[in-house]
Amino acid sequence: MSRADGEMRAAPFITGSTMRHVVVMTLTGAVGLMSLFMVDLVDLFFLSLLNDTEVTAAVGYAGTIVFSNLSVSIGCGIAAAALVARNVGAGDRQRARQFATSALMFALITASLITLAIDLGSGALLALLGAHGEARRLAQLFIWTLSPGYVLIAGAISCSFILRGLGDARRAMYITLSTAIVTACADPVFIFGFGWGIQGAAAATVLGYIVSFGIGLHGVVRVHRFINPFRLGGLKRDFPPLWAIAFPAILTQLAQPFANAYITYGIAPFGDESVAGFAIVGRLVPVAFGIIFSLAGSVGPIIGQNYGARRHDRVRRTLTDGLIFSAIYTLLTSLLLFLFRHQIAEAFNAAGRSRDLVVFFCTFIGISWAFTGGQFVANAAFNNLGRPTLSSWFNWAKATLGTIPFAMIGARMGGPEGLLAGTALGSVIFGIASVIAAYAIVRRSATKAAG
């Protein structure tokens, strides 16, 4: 639409079927988000062809640390989408543009600081996770090679969430989809063709990040003309409302890497085969349940625009539709994982304890993601209804109270499989609690507006 394309309908989510908006935003958002996680799965698949358990375990250890940067970037993106969507819904596109600019600056600066911290502290962190010997050396090599891409992917994710806040789900999807495509093409060349091994996988990922950030800037800057010139004064002006959402959103996103780190720490004593099995599970989950991961970022703009337009009935309907969608998707995906559990293990050359852990997850644990999905939908409501700290409380409660004691008891009773089962039970408990709280917040917001 040329200029009109950049000035799409002011607030597309305040009319029409909320379920349709949920489905379209979630599916397109999921393709983009799953593409980010697909990068890790593609890396792991090609590296598994080397048939070296230490390489697979190294990716598991490194991924636990690297995922923290991705989590922070997603947290910054959630703030961008919430502020852009809320102001677009209220009819103030100029303010929305200012927030988009400040959010992108904030994401790039934050990612630069994280890059420095990870590079300096990766050795100590790997030791803390229980990595040792060749697996630890390879993990650190992977982290250092990948580090130039941390800032690039942070910028790409920020652009993607800004586009979601504008309702341009299609272009938001293109940003991260390009990462997976480029990485999938470059991985075999860098890993096998150049003989770079685990460093080749990291280098291919960085190349994918470069392309994705370029596409993101094109969509936000050239198509929508939604980024102003960077000025520190603008960031200082917008920092309080941005930080009010970004800080709890970042804390919320960091809860999952923390939980994964503890699980990795709990599995490490059972040997590299068990760590390798969890590495496969850890990369399978975001791809299989990427749609669930995308719910908070996809449902958020719908809730935000309707909240800005004071359509509280549609806010509640969106929350319900998100939960229904999550439950149906999880049931179907869990069935597929169960039917193809042995083929999935074979695809990654999993053997021994690695194979046992992958098959166990696909058989018994997948269904618990229905409750994790419920928590993501609840987080979207918290972030866009002025209660972002609740997201942090629930996610960290799940990552600590819902993970550590359940993992300890489960590991004692059933080894690595028992550990996974215990953490799944914790997810069920805190998923239900967060949904109950979300409905209470929606009801309270509607009552306050009516009064």
Side-chain angles (χ1 to χ4, degrees):
M1 294 184 232
S2 67
R3 176 72 180 185
D5 198 20
E7 302 290 335
M8 295 166 61
R9 285 182 299 139
F13 300 136
I14 63 175
T15 59
S17 166
T18 55
M19 177 59 90
R20 180 180 180 279
H21 291 321
V22 168
V23 172
V24 171
M25 283 291 286
T26 303
L27 290 179
T28 53
V31 170
L33 190 59
M34 287 167 68
S35 299
L36 289 175
F37 297 125
M38 181 66 78
V39 170
D40 291 333
L41 192 66
V42 168
D43 284 344
L44 187 62
F45 172 75
F46 282 113
L47 289 173
S48 71
L49 299 180
L50 297 173
N51 204 25
D52 187 337
T53 300
E54 289 180 323
V55 170
T56 307
V59 174
Y61 286 122
T64 302
I65 296 173
V66 170
F67 191 58
S68 62
N69 176 69
L70 186 60
S71 298
V72 171
S73 300
I74 292 174
C76 293
I78 288 172
L83 290 169
V84 169
R86 191 180 301 170
N87 284 276
V88 167
D92 192 348
R93 291 183 66 85
Q94 180 179 353
R95 193 72 183 102
R97 185 178 288 109
Q98 291 172 344
F99 276 124
T101 304
S102 297
L104 180 57
M105 285 183 65
F106 178 70
L108 294 174
I109 292 171
T110 303
S112 298
L113 296 175
I114 290 174
T115 300
L116 180 62
I118 289 178
D119 279 349
L120 293 177
S122 58
L125 290 172
L126 287 169
L128 190 63
L129 289 174
H132 57 85
E134 183 66 4
R136 176 178 173 178
R137 186 189 73 81
L138 291 172
Q140 190 146 47
L141 196 60
F142 183 85
I143 290 171
W144 284 343
T145 306
L146 185 60
S147 62
Y150 299 158
V151 177
L152 297 169
I153 193 58
I157 290 173
S158 183
C159 290
S160 176
F161 274 90
I162 290 169
L163 291 173
R164 290 187 198 180
L166 290 169
D168 192 350
R170 178 170 54 88
R171 284 195 177 84
M173 174 184 68
Y174 292 161
I175 293 173
T176 45
L177 183 60
S178 63
T179 306
I181 294 173
V182 172
T183 303
C185 293
D187 255 342
V189 177
F190 288 8
I191 294 172
F192 304 110
F194 296 161
W196 291 351
I198 198 168
Q199 278 187 291
T205 301
V206 172
L207 180 61
Y209 289 168
I210 292 172
V211 173
S212 124
F213 189 31
I215 292 175
L217 287 176
H218 178 267
V220 175
V221 177
R222 297 294 299 276
V223 176
H224 287 274
R225 304 185 187 279
F226 219 74
I227 295 293
N228 297 326
F230 282 175
R231 291 189 177 88
L232 288 177
L235 177 59
K236 182 179 179 181
R237 176 199 62 218
D238 297 333
F239 185 77
L242 183 64
W243 184 246
I245 298 176
F247 179 63
I250 289 171
L251 286 180
T252 299
Q253 295 299 315
L254 284 175
Q256 188 60 47
F258 174 85
N260 287 344
Y262 182 81
I263 294 172
T264 302
Y265 169 79
I267 287 180
F270 295 100
D272 280 348
E273 280 194 357
S274 293
V275 174
F278 182 64
I280 296 171
V281 169
R283 277 138 191 83
L284 177 63
V285 163
V287 176
F289 296 104
I291 286 180
I292 302 300
F293 275 87
S294 76
L295 277 170
S298 300
V299 174
I302 305 172
I303 292 176
Q305 286 191 8
N306 282 286
Y307 179 67
R310 298 182 180 277
R311 295 295 307 274
H312 297 281
D313 58 322
R314 290 176 62 82
V315 171
R316 181 182 177 85
R317 184 68 248 177
T318 301
L319 178 61
T320 301
D321 288 343
L323 294 172
I324 293 172
F325 181 85
S326 171
I328 293 173
Y329 176 81
T330 303
L331 288 172
L332 294 175
T333 303
S334 298
L335 177 61
L336 290 175
L337 287 175
F338 173 72
L339 293 175
F340 296 100
R341 59 196 184 281
H342 297 296
Q343 291 87 338
I344 291 171
E346 291 169 3
F348 290 93
N349 290 326
R353 297 299 291 144
S354 296
R355 179 187 179 88
D356 293 341
L357 207 58
V358 173
V359 171
F360 180 82
F361 172 84
C362 293
T363 304
F364 299 107
I365 306 300
I367 193 64
S368 68
W369 276 83
F371 299 90
T372 302
Q375 185 163 354
F376 284 148
V377 175
N379 287 344
F382 298 147
N383 290 333
N384 287 271
L385 297 178
R387 300 296 297 274
T389 54
L390 281 177
S391 295
S392 298
W393 280 109
F394 274 107
N395 274 39
W396 276 98
K398 173 187 167 184
T400 53
L401 298 177
T403 299
I404 296 175
F406 289 93
M408 290 174 63
I409 295 171
R412 192 173 301 145
M413 295 177 63
E417 290 86 353
L419 191 152
L420 291 185
T423 55
L425 178 58
S427 296
V428 171
I429 294 171
F430 284 94
I432 293 173
S434 64
V435 168
I436 293 172
Y439 274 109
I441 295 299
V442 170
R443 183 170 59 253
R444 194 172 304 162
S445 297
T447 301
K448 183 178 179 181

